[in-house]
Amino acid sequence: MSEDDEAGQEDLVTEEMLWDRIPEVDGAERASTYYELSARIYARGQYDEALALAETACDIYSDLGSNAPSEGLAQAYSAIGYNLNQLKRMDEAAHAMSKAVEILRTNKSPIALELACTLGEWWYSSKNYEKVIDTMRECAQEHLVDGDEVGAANDLHLIGCAYREIKNWDDALASFTEARTLYKKNREVIHVGRCDQKIAACLVELGNGELALETARKALDVFETAHDHSRETFALLEFGKAQILLGKLEDGLATLDRVLQTSTDEDPRDFEFIIDVETRMASVMRTLGRIEEADEIVRRLSSVSDLLNEADAAEPSDTSQ
């Protein structure tokens, strides 16, 4: 028998032993056994079964009340969260993880911060942006206390993204600027460029075309030097938007056309992004008096938008939520 076969047999026996242990134990030990089984089955990618086992562990811990070991209950909640995340039930995953973080923070657990950062990302995925801001603000403060400036910068960047989603451009700008300062201090060049691209986007929305153009140029310099073509495309979009804001319509239109050419080279194509760019181009064309060209673009985009909307409507709803 090879070493791999022996290791596989050992894992199988260990799991069998866990199943055999369940009728023989109760209370916290029984809950812990369900949790261990959930972890093993999660590792195999059987998330529905792993979720059921983690929920059983959580129920047992909850029934114990004040006698339940808080760390075990937190582990069960986090396991529920990770399985729900894999099942794309993001809002439920975030709520489960928030319970784990609350328990771990109360106990001053060293893993509370790591799970809180994960929670913030999950709140973002579930579009609960206010909770992203609250969660990550606390994480940023903890990272700074720990001396982890890059960790704090990551938190502030996510806070800025959440503010952008709710169109709070001033606070988004402040968050990205603070993150940029920390990234620059730690020579995180690509992350500085990411902040500059988003700062430029905020400045465009706030009507500051000159500074937006200058900041987008800095982001472009970083991404062109790094040959990071994907991020270069987004920085170029902000550069073009700033040009248009400043009334440099022909230059802006040419820049947006460069964005369009780059984005259509990607596979698979991001049709929503392409539609956004071409819609902006049509608007500029209309201002320049190129009405027929603009109308043709709008007509064509309408057909594609209808197809995308039909595809979204045809997707089965998630009845598990």
Side-chain angles (χ1 to χ4, degrees), residues 34-49:
Y34 275 110
Y35 169 78
E36 290 181 43
L37 281 167
S38 174
R40 293 179 184 276
I41 292 170
Y42 174 90
R44 294 207 301 267
Q46 296 171 240
Y47 305 120
D48 282 307
E49 185 178 352

Side-chain angles (χ1 to χ4, degrees), residues 191-251:
H191 290 312
V192 170
R194 291 173 65 215
C195 288
D196 279 335
Q197 180 255 314
K198 293 179 176 67
I199 288 169
C202 294
L203 290 168
V204 167
E205 296 294 340
L206 292 168
N208 192 336
E210 290 288 355
L211 189 53
L213 193 71
E214 178 185 338
T215 308
R217 179 71 267 174
K218 291 178 181 178
L220 276 170
D221 289 343
V222 169
F223 299 140
E224 287 174 355
T225 303
H227 297 278
D228 190 334
H229 301 303
S230 177
R231 291 193 173 104
E232 181 183 340
T233 299
F234 289 105
L236 194 62
L237 173 62
E238 301 308 331
F239 191 80
K241 286 158 64 177
Q243 288 175 312
I244 294 165
L245 182 61
L246 292 170
K248 302 176 181 180
L249 301 184
E250 293 287 0
D251 289 342

Side-chain angles (χ1 to χ4, degrees), residues 78 81-82 85 90 93-94 97-98 101 105 111-126 132 135-136 139 143 155 158:
S78 67
Y82 279 116
N85 176 63
M90 295 307 303
M97 186 62 82
S98 68
V101 170
R105 282 198 189 283
I111 67 169
L113 178 55
E114 179 184 349
L115 290 186
C117 291
T118 299
L119 173 61
E121 293 170 0
W122 289 1
W123 282 134
Y124 191 87
S125 296
S126 66
V132 173
T135 300
M136 300 316 292
C139 289
H143 274 131
D155 302 334
L158 187 57

